[in-house]
Amino acid sequence: MDNSRKKLRLGDVLVNSGVISEEQLQKGLELQKGSGRKLGETLVDEGLVTEENITNALSSQLNLDVIDLQNVTISEDVLSLVPANILKKYKILPFEYSEESMNILRVAMADPMDMTAMDDITIITNLQVEPVVSTTRSIMLALDKYYGQAEVDSALEEYTKEKENQFAEQENMYSEDV
């Protein structure tokens, strides 16, 4: 993997791309301190940039593809590779195997410089990660589309089991009384 990617920071990428000025970067960093938010989120919330500005800057500076996940159908075998809670934690979504190799997983990332996320996905899947830039919104909508219903189904299943157990316990109580 390209080591120069580790040294590059989002603020530098945005200033180098002319998306924001050095002053705007300093303002964003100041506002970000202690907020628990990432710099990109802070800059978007403050109206200094759009998610698309960030995505395009990252794409051009890091020479990565951009993807809008709303136009992509993800196969079940790719969806089952990584638990949903990990995907939501990092705001990432694997969407296909690379055309060059089945050992390379293409992953939509709002922050393609997040080495921890890439390392975790590599460990979980035992596949190389090829980052592709996407907006946080696009990733979250896709996560909701693919995993939102699964969570609803899981919660419904849990509720049904609970009710069945309660019913069985009640039946047992009545049958013991007879």
Side-chain angles (χ1 to χ4, degrees), residues 9-12 14 20 24-25 27-30 32 37-45 49 54:
R9 296 186 319 233
L10 178 61
D12 298 332
L14 295 174
I20 59 173
Q24 289 172 312
L25 171 59
K27 178 183 177 189
L29 289 169
E30 210 46 49
Q32 178 203 10
R37 295 181 300 176
K38 288 190 168 196
L39 176 61
E41 291 171 22
T42 303
L43 293 171
V44 170
D45 290 349
V49 297
I54 293 173

Side-chain angles (χ1 to χ4, degrees), residues 60-147:
S60 67
Q61 289 278 310
L62 301 174
N63 198 24
L64 297 173
D65 293 337
V66 175
I67 187 160
D68 178 358
L69 293 168
Q70 303 337 280
N71 307 320
V72 175
T73 301
I74 305 171
S75 71
E76 191 57 49
D77 64 319
V78 171
L79 289 170
S80 64
L81 289 172
V82 183
N85 63 325
I86 301 290
L87 300 177
K88 288 179 179 177
K89 173 183 173 185
Y90 291 121
K91 296 183 178 89
I92 60 175
L93 184 59
F95 62 94
E96 67 184 8
Y97 293 102
S98 170
E99 289 177 15
E100 289 88 53
S101 169
M102 288 291 285
N103 291 325
I104 300 173
L105 186 63
R106 290 174 49 97
V107 179
M109 305 179 75
D111 181 0
M113 297 177 293
D114 187 339
M115 300 314 272
T116 306
M118 283 196 263
D119 290 346
D120 282 0
I121 299 304
T122 298
I123 291 165
I124 291 168
T125 63
N126 204 21
L127 299 168
Q128 273 183 284
V129 170
E130 179 185 313
V132 178
V133 189
S134 188
T135 63
T136 301
R137 183 176 189 283
S138 176
I139 293 169
M140 296 312 282
L141 285 170
L143 284 171
D144 192 46
K145 173 183 169 184
Y146 288 106
Y147 295 98

Side-chain angles (χ1 to χ4, degrees), residues 155-167:
L156 192 59
E157 195 176 306
E158 204 56 41
Y159 176 78
T160 305
K161 279 183 194 167
E162 208 173 282
K163 286 296 174 199
E164 286 171 355
N165 288 342
Q166 287 175 350
F167 182 73

